[in-house]
């Protein structure tokens, strides 16, 4: 799919401009993925913020700590990556809060067993998976210089019907297949 191609190209770009310093990116992604997938949505955005900016500080000071100085391009990549990862955690938090609030507001009309997942999704709602986070953070689009775009916007590039490249199955080749 287009996602996999974009991720492989992005990872290749990272390896070409950063060398082994690409590991910094993977460590930051893995730490944030654990936070987003394992910690309660009420606090995951705060932990993500703390983790990402703490790791960014470590990364920026790594030369002073005896590690080799990373290339300048890696600095640009990790800055954009930090924004993406923290933004993703905030999007997840906002989605869960919106769903929780809508289930509370319709509780009088529906029985009390209405789950958060039963709330009608709106634009901007996200339910990231590990593979989705990897594709979002390592995709070649906006990897080094931006632009920053939200996870929900990224998902739309591969799933929304307004995109002529989407065939409806999420594969994303759409128009190219005809």
């Amino acid at each position: 799919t287009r996602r996999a191609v974009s991720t492989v190209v992005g990872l290749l770009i990272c390896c070409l401009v950063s060398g082994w310093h690409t590991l910094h990116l993977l460590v930051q992604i893995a730490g944030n993925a654990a936070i987003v997938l394992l910690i309660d949505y009420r606090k995951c955005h705060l932990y993500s913020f703390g983790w990402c900016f703490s790791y960014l500080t470590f990364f920026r000071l790594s030369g002073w700590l005896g590690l080799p100085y990373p290339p300048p391009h890696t600095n640009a990549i990790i800055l954009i990556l930090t924004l993406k990862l923290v933004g993703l955690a905030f999007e997840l938090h906002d989605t869960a809060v919106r769903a929780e609030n809508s289930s509370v507001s319709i509780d009088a009309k529906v029985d009390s067993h209405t789950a958060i997942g039963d709330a009608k999704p709106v634009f901007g709602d996200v339910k990231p998976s590990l593979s989705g986070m990897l594709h979002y953070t390592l995709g070649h689009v906006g990897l080094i210089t931006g632009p920053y775009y939200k996870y929900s916007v990224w998902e739309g590039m591969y799933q929304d019907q307004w995109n002529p490249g989407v065939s409806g199955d999420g594969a994303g080749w759409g128009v190219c297949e005809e």
Side-chain angles (χ1 to χ4, degrees):
T1 67
R2 289 187 307 152
R3 281 181 232 219
V5 171
S6 176
T7 303
V8 168
V9 170
L11 198 52
L12 182 62
I13 291 170
C14 286
C15 289
L16 288 174
V17 301
S18 302
W20 74 271
H21 292 282
T22 301
L23 291 175
H24 285 293
L25 308 174
L26 299 176
V27 167
Q28 189 176 24
I29 293 168
N32 199 70
I35 290 169
V36 166
L37 295 174
L38 300 176
I39 292 182
D40 183 48
Y41 71 87
R42 291 176 193 92
K43 300 258 190 221
C44 75
H45 61 300
L46 300 174
Y47 287 116
S48 173
F49 182 87
W51 162 253
C52 288
F53 281 96
S54 296
Y55 196 84
L56 179 61
T57 302
F58 165 76
F59 173 80
R60 296 296 300 263
L61 298 175
S62 62
W64 291 1
L65 299 173
L67 297 173
Y69 284 100
H73 290 88
T74 310
N75 184 50
I77 295 171
I78 204 164
L79 288 171
I80 294 290
L81 179 64
T82 299
L83 290 176
K84 285 181 178 180
L85 292 172
V86 173
L88 172 61
F90 271 88
E91 282 184 86
L92 176 64
H93 171 263
D94 293 347
T95 297
V97 167
R98 189 171 32 253
E100 187 176 73
N101 289 341
S102 70
S103 70
V104 168
S105 67
I106 62 171
D107 195 32
K109 300 176 187 173
V110 183
D111 65 4
S112 60
H113 298 289
T114 303
I116 290 175
D118 294 338
K120 183 179 177 184
V122 297
F123 178 76
D125 283 358
V126 298
K127 292 181 182 176
S129 63
L130 179 60
S131 66
M133 283 187 271
L134 288 172
H135 290 304
Y136 170 61
T137 56
L138 294 174
H140 76 284
V141 179
L143 183 68
I144 295 179
T145 60
Y148 166 76
Y149 47 89
K150 295 169 68 170
Y151 185 84
S152 57
V153 171
W154 172 83
E155 274 189 325
M157 292 191 312
Y158 298 102
Q159 295 177 357
D160 289 348
Q161 294 303 314
W162 57 262
N163 183 349
V166 175
S167 65
D169 63 358
W173 293 105
V175 177
C176 299
E177 294 174 345
E178 295 177 2

